[in-house]
Amino acid sequence: MSTYHPLTVNEAMAYARTIPGYFDNNSNLQCSEIGDGNLNLVFIITDQENHKSIIVKQALPYAKVVGESWPLSLDRARIEREALLMQSQLCADLVPEVYAFDESMAITVMEDLSDHAIMRKGLLEGNNYPLFAEHIGRFLANTLFYTSDLAMNPQQKKEQVKKFINPDLCKITEDLIFQDPYQQSDNNNYADNIADEALALRDHQALHLEVALLREKFLTQTQALLHGDLHTGSIFVTQKSTKVIDPEFAYYGPMGFDIGAIIANLLLNYVAQPGWINDELTIQEKQASLLLTVENTWNAFESNFRTLWNKDVQDIMATTPGYQDIYVAQLLKDTVGFAGCKIIRRIVGLSHVIDIDNISNDIARETAQRKALSIGKQLVLSNRNINSIQDLIEIVKNTSQVTTEGVIYEFK
Ligand code: SR1
Ligand code: MG
């Protein structure tokens, strides 16, 4: 294949047949387009007789969720593939295997993970994933540490930064997360019943100041190679396995952005629980389990990150006593701030989460939305005062669903 065009189902199947060593020439294949994300075509090609299947993913030259009026570079397919390969070198068990690609067609062929569940859906079905925090903490520590100046020669790292310049996808984040929720924008998307909250975001100067500081980090800090969109819809899970997919937003940015994305999405699920379960005791158990996962995720990240640092740090100056503690303390503050921004955008911005939008009861949905906004705001407002993961947990537990403008937590 050479000239770019969006694949049909038949073309995707024909392309899959060309992948060396996978399907037999005469296999009876089935193919369907299963992409439910915002940007790409995703085909699953199955040979039922031989129990084989693969995924053919193709980038579209525009944002599927909006339409052709929002053009996007196809270079994101290269970036996604190169990020997957990098992640696979650092934690092969936590990402899908890439089998093949076609640069000009913006196609990546990869392992089918249909035996896993998308974590967002699995959580909404009430499942627990006991190994998730340990797995994602290791994913974060390995991918962030080994792509940073702590572990890389700074010249080679800058070559990597060049390879992962991703302007179109970064602009989506800069606009949808760090700007639109705080101004009038056609991208914003919320129901009339929470318009009071959405409008209040536009006049909240203390909040704007913190968002501006976090946005500056996103724009300027080339700290490590990020996944860039690490929400629970980008993670496949089973009880025993975790696989991170979809790193098309990958670029060199602040580490806390990825860690904060995980925490934000666990907290969105946390506030949604009363909309999915009737029994108060079960709600409390689920919420306690989600908060424990938040805490364990940070702790797994921190302990893996410190272990890698103590074992493999390359930057001589980074061995200075005290530096690691200051660095990790700043990562936690950034994590909390970015988590807050990501919660807010999923309530009033363009792209939402089904955890909240699919709550069928109107009052329960509105309650979840208001609670998410309260927590999101408190995390953003308090991020520079956070000193332990327990501080974040306290904010979540103490934030009432009534807006508490101006309350900024100060921890010792
Ligand atoms: C126009 S794309 C909207 C959102 O979908 C992706 O998953 C990212 O989160 C992006 O912000
Ligand atoms: Mg995605």
Side-chain angles (χ1 to χ4, degrees):
M1 281 187 222
S2 51
T3 315
Y4 178 86
H5 61 276
L7 291 177
T8 63
V9 164
N10 283 338
E11 284 175 319
M13 198 156 50
Y15 181 73
R17 281 192 193 282
T18 70
I19 308 304
Y22 209 77
F23 295 121
D24 296 335
N25 282 344
N26 46 4
S27 318
N28 180 19
L29 300 185
Q30 276 96 45
C31 176
S32 47
E33 204 277 314
I34 54 165
D36 63 354
N38 292 323
L39 304 178
N40 305 294
L41 296 175
V42 181
F43 300 92
I44 180 167
I45 295 105
T46 313
D47 172 358
Q48 281 176 341
E49 274 164 44
N50 295 303
H51 309 288
K52 285 182 169 180
S53 54
I54 54 172
I55 295 294
V56 172
K57 178 171 177 179
Q58 185 182 37
L60 288 167
Y62 54 86
K64 194 168 76 175
V65 65
V66 176
E68 297 189 29
S69 62
W70 190 328
L72 286 181
S73 160
L74 295 175
D75 190 41
R76 71 183 192 276
R78 175 193 64 79
I79 287 177
E80 173 168 354
R81 181 181 75 247
E82 293 195 1
L84 276 173
L85 295 174
M86 172 69 77
Q87 291 159 355
S88 155
Q89 283 172 24
L90 298 172
C91 35
D93 60 318
L94 299 176
V95 290
E97 193 177 339
V98 172
Y99 299 138
F101 65 92
D102 183 317
E103 189 98 44
S104 58
M105 287 290 285
I107 289 173
T108 309
V109 184
M110 64 189 103
E111 183 181 359
D112 173 31
L113 298 168
S114 300
D115 56 336
H116 291 56
I118 291 176
M119 186 172 180
R120 191 182 301 290
K121 292 184 181 159
L123 288 175
L124 290 178
E125 284 161 11
N127 298 318
N128 289 320
Y129 299 103
L131 298 182
F132 171 74
E134 190 272 319
H135 286 163
I136 204 69
R138 178 160 57 83
F139 174 87
L140 290 164
N142 277 270
T143 59
L144 299 177
F145 176 77
Y146 283 114
T147 60
S148 76
D149 286 297
L150 296 168
M152 288 190 78
N153 166 294
Q155 281 67 45
Q156 286 168 358
K157 186 215 135 188
K158 288 181 185 69
E159 293 300 326
Q160 288 296 102
V161 174
K162 270 202 266 180
K163 261 173 52 179
F164 286 100
I165 295 289
N166 197 354
D168 286 10
L169 286 273
C170 283
K171 180 170 166 41
I172 291 177
T173 302
E174 289 149 19
D175 291 351
L176 299 192
I177 300 184
F178 295 113
Q179 190 166 313
D180 293 338
Y182 308 100
Q183 63 178 18
Q184 199 288 321
S185 165
D186 290 345
N187 289 331
N188 288 334
N189 169 23
Y190 51 84
D192 286 347
N193 58 351
I194 60 159
D196 58 325
E197 283 283 359
L199 292 174
L201 288 175
R202 298 178 198 169
D203 296 326
H204 197 322
Q205 291 304 310
L207 190 68
H208 290 197
L209 176 60
E210 297 305 326
V211 173
L213 290 166
L214 291 159
R215 186 172 193 271
E216 179 196 325
K217 282 181 194 267
F218 186 86
L219 289 167
T220 64
Q221 192 176 24
T222 58
Q223 198 172 26
L225 179 62
L226 306 188
H227 176 283
D229 194 23
L230 197 47
H231 56 80
T232 45
S234 292
I235 301 172
F236 276 96
V237 277
T238 67
Q239 296 297 301
K240 293 187 179 154
S241 165
T242 302
K243 302 274 186 183
V244 176
I245 63 161
D246 253 8
E248 67 198 311
F249 284 72
Y251 90 113
Y252 264 79
M255 296 181 183
F257 188 78
D258 270 2
I259 315 165
I262 296 288
I263 290 177
N265 281 272
L266 291 169
L267 294 179
L268 285 161
N269 190 269
Y270 168 94
V271 299
Q273 285 302 324
W276 293 90
I277 302 171
N278 290 323
D279 167 48
E280 186 56 37
L281 192 61
T282 314
I283 293 171
Q284 284 173 16
E285 282 169 7
K286 277 279 158 208
Q287 289 188 322
S289 156
L290 286 159
L291 286 191
L292 189 61
T293 306
V294 168
E295 192 177 339
N296 290 344
T297 294
W298 170 262
N299 288 338
F301 163 74
E302 181 180 351
S303 78
N304 278 285
F305 190 79
R306 285 182 184 272
T307 301
L308 297 177
W309 184 316
N310 295 337
K311 181 164 70 80
D312 280 341
V313 69
Q314 299 297 309
D315 178 356
I316 298 294
M317 294 308 291
T319 62
T320 307
Y323 180 62
Q324 186 187 105
D325 287 343
I326 293 173
Y327 194 107
V328 171
Q330 186 59 50
L331 287 188
L332 178 62
K333 294 177 199 296
D334 295 351
T335 293
V336 170
F338 287 126
C341 293
K342 283 176 163 267
I343 290 173
I344 293 169
R345 63 79 61 113
R346 294 292 185 193
I347 305 301
V348 298
L350 174 76
S351 172
H352 291 196
V353 292
I354 57 169
D355 312 50
I356 289 178
D357 278 22
N358 285 9
I359 295 173
S360 55
N361 180 287
D362 289 347
I363 292 170
R365 187 170 58 257
E366 179 179 337
T367 304
Q369 288 168 328
R370 288 180 183 273
K371 179 130 186 171
L373 286 173
S374 292
I375 291 172
K377 282 189 288 187
Q378 286 305 333
L379 296 183
V380 173
L381 288 167
S382 309
N383 80 88
R384 288 187 290 145
N385 296 320
I386 297 286
N387 295 312
S388 74
I389 191 64
Q390 217 42 55
D391 290 347
L392 176 148
I393 303 293
E394 288 306 310
I395 289 179
V396 175
K397 284 184 180 165
N398 294 338
T399 301
S400 80
Q401 68 190 55
V402 179
T403 312
T404 47
E405 302 271 346
V407 175
I408 301 174
Y409 288 80
E410 294 201 33
F411 299 94
K412 275 189 265 160

